[in-house]
Amino acid sequence: MNGDLQDSRLKAFRLVRWLSWGLVAAVSAAFLLNGGYSYFTSLPKQTRALAPASIGGPFQLTDTDGRRFTERDLAGKASVIFFGFTNCPDVCPTTLIDIGRWLAAIEGDADKLNVLFITVDPKRDTPQHMKEYLSSFDPRIRGLTGTAGEIAAVAKAYGVFYKEMPLKGGGYTMDHSSAVYLMDPDGRFVEPVSSQTNDETAIKRLRSLAKL
Ligand code: NI
């Protein structure tokens, strides 16, 4: 009887040990996969539908001083590109603050990056309005707007989703995807970040982007 008891204790011990190792393995895998996991979840499905090589491309926009701005103005530097709108109550200001914090963290490397905030609400986001709005954020973030057609074209090139949503009391807000696109100096898509990316990962990605 004593032997059976020992045997079942041994079995229980082995089961617990096996479960612990399973837990350790699962936690480690989740940790290691976190980068890959956020890679997919931070991209809108419109972007995921595009082959990574086809994300981005030529565009015609206007900067906050009213000057024309195209993809040629990005040449020679890697780019951090975020699409949003100045009336956004939460995700856009949060993401712009995040970007400012990441730029501060990579110090001098930030000068090797173009950092763009492209509006998806060109009706309200005039160059002047964007300039005033962006004065509350890191000065390295440049604002771009354009005609409805120009914004639609650049959004399509990057696989950005946006849609005007009427508000109950009148007016409207914009529903939009909120990935931040990291593009290499040749304008090729590298990887995304978003306000859901933890600082350590985002800073690492921006630092390696600046070295491309
Ligand atoms: Ni927003």
Side-chain angles (χ1 to χ4, degrees):
M1 288 310 270
N2 197 21
D4 280 349
L5 188 64
Q6 275 194 336
D7 191 43
S8 66
R9 274 185 186 156
L10 192 63
K11 274 182 185 159
F13 170 71
R14 280 184 181 146
L15 181 66
V16 168
R17 189 175 55 181
W18 184 84
L19 286 173
S20 318
W21 278 115
L23 186 65
V24 167
V27 169
S28 314
F31 181 75
L32 289 172
L33 287 170
N34 183 44
Y37 177 74
S38 71
Y39 180 98
F40 289 108
T41 55
S42 62
L43 281 176
K45 67 175 190 296
Q46 286 79 1
T47 311
R48 279 180 268 153
L50 298 172
S54 70
I55 298 172
F59 59 79
Q60 301 270 340
L61 295 167
T62 301
D63 72 11
T64 53
D65 292 320
R67 286 189 294 248
R68 295 303 279 164
F69 191 102
T70 75
E71 79 289 348
R72 288 187 299 278
D73 293 295
L74 305 176
K77 275 187 179 186
S79 304
V80 176
I81 305 181
F82 178 51
F83 293 78
F85 69 115
T86 67
N87 281 275
C88 179
D90 42 44
V91 176
C92 293
T94 305
T95 308
L96 291 169
I97 290 168
D98 290 341
I99 292 172
R101 195 173 57 252
W102 301 334
L103 292 174
I106 64 168
E107 301 175 318
D109 281 343
D111 300 334
K112 296 172 194 152
L113 300 173
N114 299 298
V115 188
L116 304 179
F117 178 53
I118 302 178
T119 186
V120 293
D121 184 14
K123 234 189 308 189
R124 291 184 295 198
D125 287 342
T126 61
Q128 182 57 31
H129 184 64
M130 289 194 87
K131 190 178 204 166
E132 281 161 25
Y133 177 77
L134 286 172
S135 68
S136 305
F137 300 95
D138 189 293
R140 289 167 288 205
I141 304 172
R142 287 186 284 174
L144 294 175
T145 185
T147 64
E150 287 166 348
I151 296 299
V154 68
K156 190 176 176 211
Y158 281 82
V160 169
F161 161 82
Y162 67 104
K163 189 172 191 272
E164 206 174 293
M165 305 290 283
L167 291 171
K168 268 188 199 147
Y172 66 92
T173 187
M174 302 297 295
D175 190 8
H176 69 100
S177 54
S178 54
V180 178
Y181 297 81
L182 305 184
M183 311 295 291
D184 77 9
D186 296 317
R188 285 181 301 233
F189 175 68
V190 180
E191 59 185 345
V193 285
S194 79
S195 61
Q196 266 98 59
T197 310
N198 67 54
D199 272 9
E200 196 191 345
T201 305
I203 291 162
K204 207 187 292 170
R205 289 184 188 174
L206 260 67
R207 194 173 273 136
S208 52
L209 186 72
K211 295 199 186 336
L212 291 180

